[in-house]
Amino acid sequence: MITVRKIYLLTVASILLLANVSVQEVNAQKFTLSNNLLYDATLTPNLRLGARLSEQWSLGLTAGYHPWPTDESVSKKFKHLLLAPDVRYWIDSVNVHHFFGFNLIYSHYNIAEVKFPFGLWKSLRDERHQGDLGAIGAYYGYSWPLGRYWNLEAHIGAAIGYTKYDRYECGHCGRKLGDEKKVIFLPQAGVSIVYNIPGRPRKVEGPEVLPTVEEPMTAAVDVLPFVPALSPVPEFKGRAGQLQQDNAVVAHISEYRPYDRTRILRKEKDALFVHFDLGKSILSTDYRDNRATLDRIVEITRQIMTDSTSSVKKIQLIGLASFEGTPATNERLALNRALALQQVRRTRSVWKKSLRSSTKSRIQSYANAASSSWTKAAFGPISRSIS
């Protein structure tokens, strides 16, 4: 018979495992509450509390308790207590898409006259078993985000463990038949509804900002609209098309798409990053490899703008922030970093000379990512005339 002391020690150990988070990350934590609908089908109330540890790791504790029937004279029973701490590794980021999990399982049970599927534990159809079980398991799962606060999650796996129990005849106060110890195999499966606390940050997107170009004071003159004398140059030609072959950051304007949170920027190769100190939005050219990155952006832009067959149509700037701090602070920091990169871009002499009103910058911010800013250029052909 399980003692209150055993349950207390296991519960305290599991809570301490969930609470083992550094003080510096408290504000960055995201928690989840989930309910396994398949487990509910056995009329067992259950709940899992999850806590984010880092971008790709999380901890959790699952508990289930089936106290029925309370009338000891009822022969058929599925009474049990289950506690299962687990750790999960997420391929993309916590609570998004694929994950692998490892768990420890403890259960105290009193089961009789229960027919399990697939012919498992046939002796329980004619006997009552009461005892304890411990196991270690692994599983694979997938989580579908359903909005800011909800996910749908499924997982499947297996566990192997050891159990020690007493055997009784079925019925109230059945005769004891003996006791056994054995290694046991357990399948694992679940379909869960998940609630995210405090929820994913709302998308914050700034307006499109046209670069400010300082022009020298000149007398007012009438400027006639430009009318090309030839047909447009074919797509993907000119210097921009050549640069695209060796620079993934350069893309044709037809490939442009606004940023959204489903994109995992750290896995994209077609971008250039500049870096900032933790919690700062001041862009220093001497920090890490920022100078080389900015020089590369300027040089690529210069080569495209000096080619008469191409032009820069859009430069996409995305500000990022790590997950330390509150969502509102991170959103503000990310936007300021994007604006800092835009300001540096304006002050570079080659850009001031070459970029005109046909070039647009799209400012977007995103929290819970690397401490940097991301830039990408899109080009398109232009028409030219022969005098």
Side-chain angles (χ1 to χ4, degrees):
M1 189 74 172
I2 187 171
T3 66
V4 175
R5 181 179 176 83
K6 287 182 180 179
I7 297 178
Y8 175 77
L9 290 176
L10 185 62
T11 304
V12 170
S14 301
I15 292 174
L16 288 175
L17 183 64
L18 278 174
N20 187 22
V21 180
S22 67
V23 175
Q24 295 174 336
E25 293 185 355
V26 169
N27 291 334
Q29 286 300 296
K30 287 187 176 180
F31 296 92
T32 59
L33 289 176
S34 57
N35 174 250
N36 187 337
L37 303 179
L38 295 186
Y39 203 3
D40 286 340
T42 68
L43 303 182
T44 303
N46 66 93
L47 193 67
R48 178 182 182 273
L49 171 63
R52 174 180 181 146
L53 290 182
S54 66
E55 188 173 354
Q56 293 179 281
W57 289 95
S58 66
L59 281 178
L61 173 63
T62 298
Y65 183 51
H66 191 295
W68 305 285
T70 57
D71 185 355
E72 292 297 331
S73 64
V74 178
S75 179
K76 183 176 181 180
K77 45 183 101 254
F78 186 55
K79 300 173 71 173
H80 70 278
L81 166 71
L82 179 140
L83 292 173
D86 65 77
V87 60
R88 292 181 176 182
Y89 174 76
W90 299 78
I91 301 300
D92 293 326
S93 62
V94 172
N95 300 329
V96 178
H97 303 153
H98 306 273
F99 64 89
F100 294 92
F102 303 91
N103 59 350
L104 299 175
I105 302 171
Y106 169 77
S107 179
H108 175 71
Y109 56 88
N110 184 3
I111 305 174
E113 296 184 12
V114 176
K115 184 177 181 180
F116 288 94
F118 311 113
L120 296 172
W121 312 302
K122 292 182 178 180
S123 61
L124 285 170
R125 300 178 185 180
D126 305 309
E127 297 179 357
R128 180 171 68 88
H129 292 180
Q130 181 172 335
D132 299 285
L133 175 148
I136 183 170
Y139 54 89
Y140 161 77
Y142 192 90
S143 185
W144 293 269
L146 302 180
R148 285 193 64 206
Y149 294 100
W150 297 98
N151 279 44
L152 180 65
E153 187 175 285
H155 74 271
I156 188 168
I160 187 169
Y162 177 81
T163 182
K164 177 181 178 181
Y165 59 91
D166 296 326
R167 298 171 53 222
Y168 297 88
E169 291 180 343
C170 284
H172 179 58
C173 296
R175 179 173 58 91
K176 185 174 181 179
L177 303 176
D179 56 72
E180 288 192 16
K181 304 174 183 178
K182 63 170 60 175
V183 174
I184 188 171
F185 171 82
L186 300 169
Q188 298 190 76
V191 175
S192 303
I193 188 72
V194 183
Y195 182 72
N196 300 294
I197 304 173
R200 298 181 179 86
R202 288 187 176 89
K203 183 175 180 181
V204 177
E205 179 176 319
E208 290 193 351
V209 181
L210 295 178
T212 302
V213 181
E214 296 181 3
E215 299 288 352
M217 297 295 294
T218 58
V221 295
D222 293 331
V223 179
L224 298 177
F226 171 74
V227 179
L230 296 178
S231 300
V233 177
E235 303 277 19
F236 301 100
K237 299 296 183 180
R239 184 55 183 157
Q242 298 171 9
L243 288 170
Q244 186 184 18
Q245 299 176 10
D246 301 320
N247 297 273
V249 70
V250 180
H252 191 267
I253 191 63
S254 62
E255 300 175 18
Y256 169 77
R257 59 191 177 109
Y259 172 76
D260 64 75
R261 296 178 187 275
T262 62
R263 290 166 60 184
I264 309 298
L265 292 182
R266 58 186 172 79
K267 292 189 175 182
E268 295 192 10
K269 305 301 182 183
D270 56 343
L272 295 176
F273 289 85
V274 292
H275 302 274
F276 296 80
D277 282 325
L278 183 63
K280 305 295 184 181
S281 60
I282 299 175
L283 179 55
S284 172
T285 57
D286 297 324
Y287 185 60
R288 296 176 68 172
D289 56 353
N290 285 355
R291 185 182 300 277
T293 301
L294 291 171
D295 289 343
R296 183 179 174 193
I297 296 172
V298 170
E299 179 59 21
I300 290 174
T301 307
R302 184 192 64 79
Q303 291 189 44
I304 295 176
M305 297 304 296
T306 55
D307 178 31
S308 60
T309 64
S310 305
S311 66
V312 177
K313 295 294 186 182
K314 287 182 180 291
I315 298 177
Q316 190 177 47
L317 307 178
I318 299 176
L320 310 174
S322 58
F323 56 79
E324 289 84 1
T326 63
T329 299
N330 290 340
E331 295 286 359
R332 184 168 57 253
L333 178 61
L335 179 59
N336 288 338
R337 285 174 171 173
L339 293 172
L341 178 56
Q342 183 194 50
Q343 185 61 33
V344 170
R345 190 206 71 178
R346 289 176 175 174
T347 59
R348 304 289 283 210
S349 59
V350 64
W351 288 21
K352 290 175 65 176
K353 295 178 180 178
S354 60
L355 297 183
R356 300 302 179 194
S357 59
S358 63
T359 304
K360 295 183 179 180
S361 296
R362 187 171 184 82
I363 302 296
Q364 293 176 294
S365 62
Y366 181 54
N368 286 343
S371 299
S372 55
S373 285
W374 182 94
T375 181
K376 179 176 179 179
F379 74 90
I382 61 173
S383 300
R384 58 175 180 158
S385 63
I386 300 177
S387 58

